[in-house]
């Protein structure tokens, strides 16, 4: 079966540009998480969806970060007016319910020039 | 708070054993273990849900000491494929299933 799919795998943007990162979770998974991973660090939580409802966005670093999951499946993480400190790997994970193992995608490596 | 992992890095020869520790300053109700290879997704290894629980598959096992607020991952007779960075994750304060990950332990197994 298909795992969590993220696109693009790599994204290079100039400072100030907007970017959109896509996550296609495992079919039927209710819970979807976004994490940010800096080089040499563990993943850091950004936001959580239960179906289409965004129940926790406490980890979003600023109001430039916005996530949505309008139909309860595919999710998009958008970053507006990108800054150099936004450079990181953005990981998406899904799970059948919130307490079950999370399955991660390969991530999108974002580089801001 | 972020759990603390030790050691930060380990270098082994094939066949040797290793232990990776994960400690928390707050009460733990579960610990999740993942392995991540360079440029790849973190891969789920196991969850420990109860104090004193031990789990394992193949030659990788883990224990969870609720009282000491720590978990340990045991890699026995290591194989080259065990190389990677190991992360422990603990539930965040909100009841959403989000995980707070440690900083990782890099394991390198040499032939």
């Amino acid at each position: 079966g298909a795992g969590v799919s993220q696109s693009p795998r790599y994204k290079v943007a100039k400072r100030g540009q907007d970017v959109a990162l896509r996550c296609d979770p495992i079919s039927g998974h209710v819970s979807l998480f976004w994490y940010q991973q800096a080089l040499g660090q563990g993943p850091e939580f950004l936001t959580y969806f239960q179906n289409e409802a965004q129940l926790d966005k406490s980890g979003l670093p600023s109001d430039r970060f916005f996530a949505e999951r309008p139909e309860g499946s595919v999710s998009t993480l958008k970053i507006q007016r990108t800054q150099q400190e936004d450079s990181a790997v953005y990981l998406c994970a899904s799970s059948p319910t919130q307490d079950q193992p999370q399955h991660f995608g390969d991530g999108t490596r974002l580089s801001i020039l | 708070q972020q759990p603390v992992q030790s050691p930060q890095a380990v270098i082994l020869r094939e066949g040797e054993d290793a232990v990776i520790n994960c400690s928390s300053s707050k009460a733990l109700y579960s610990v999740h273990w993942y392995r991540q290879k360079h440029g790849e997704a973190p891969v789920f290894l196991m969850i420990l849900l109860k104090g004193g629980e031990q789990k394992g598959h193949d030659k990788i096992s883990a224990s969870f000491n609720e009282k000491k607020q720590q978990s340990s991952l045991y890699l026995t007779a290591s194989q080259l494929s065990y190389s990677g960075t190991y992360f422990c994750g603990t539930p965040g304060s909100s009841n959403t299933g989000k995980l707070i990950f440690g900083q990782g332990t890099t394991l390198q197994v040499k032939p």
Side-chain angles (χ1 to χ4, degrees):
Chain A
V4 177
S5 177
Q6 291 187 247
S7 61
R9 281 284 279 134
Y10 304 92
K11 176 70 178 177
V12 179
K14 292 183 179 178
R15 190 174 58 178
Q17 288 183 330
D18 298 348
V19 298
L21 313 180
R22 177 188 168 107
C23 172
D24 212 325
I26 293 173
S27 178
H29 279 193
V30 168
S31 298
L32 185 146
F33 304 83
W34 283 98
Y35 293 87
Q36 181 189 60
Q37 187 173 28
L39 191 63
Q41 300 296 315
E44 286 194 21
F45 171 78
L46 293 176
T47 188
Y48 164 69
F49 289 87
Q50 181 174 301
N51 293 309
E52 69 279 4
Q54 189 176 20
L55 299 184
D56 188 343
K57 52 182 180 179
S58 62
L60 295 177
S62 76
D63 59 7
R64 296 186 294 105
F65 286 70
F66 172 76
E68 60 183 5
R69 192 186 185 197
E71 296 178 1
S73 55
V74 171
S75 177
T76 303
L77 177 67
K78 298 179 180 177
I79 309 173
Q80 297 175 326
R81 305 182 303 281
T82 52
Q83 303 293 316
Q84 281 195 322
E85 62 262 27
D86 300 336
S87 296
V89 175
Y90 290 85
L91 294 166
C92 176
S94 71
S95 61
T97 64
Q98 65 190 43
D99 295 326
Q100 294 184 274
Q102 296 178 25
H103 301 266
F104 283 82
D106 284 337
T108 294
R109 182 176 295 277
L110 177 64
S111 298
I112 305 300
L113 305 179
Chain B
Q1 287 98 329
Q2 183 183 37
V4 177
Q5 291 184 231
S6 63
Q8 286 192 330
V10 185
I11 300 176
L12 298 174
R13 293 285 180 190
E14 261 187 302
E16 293 181 337
D17 302 339
V19 180
I20 299 171
N21 299 303
C22 174
S23 299
S24 174
S25 59
K26 68 180 184 75
L28 286 179
Y29 301 101
S30 67
V31 179
H32 304 226
W33 284 99
Y34 287 80
R35 176 174 62 211
Q36 184 179 32
K37 294 183 182 284
H38 185 70
E40 298 182 9
V43 174
F44 171 75
L45 295 176
M46 62 191 80
I47 294 178
L48 295 104
L49 295 174
K50 300 176 185 176
E53 184 174 30
Q54 293 190 327
K55 275 191 175 177
H57 66 88
D58 198 8
K59 292 177 181 173
I60 300 176
S61 61
S63 64
F64 179 24
N65 188 321
E66 194 176 350
K67 286 185 179 178
K68 292 185 178 179
Q69 296 172 188
Q70 68 181 36
S71 176
S72 295
L73 188 71
Y74 306 94
L75 300 105
T76 306
S78 57
Q79 306 168 16
L80 295 176
S81 61
Y82 288 2
S83 294
T85 301
Y86 290 77
F87 294 100
C88 66
T90 58
S93 53
S94 65
N95 191 25
T96 59
K98 74 179 184 186
L99 295 175
I100 310 298
F101 287 94
Q103 79 278 21
T105 295
T106 300
L107 178 72
Q108 185 180 3
V109 181
K110 294 187 173 182

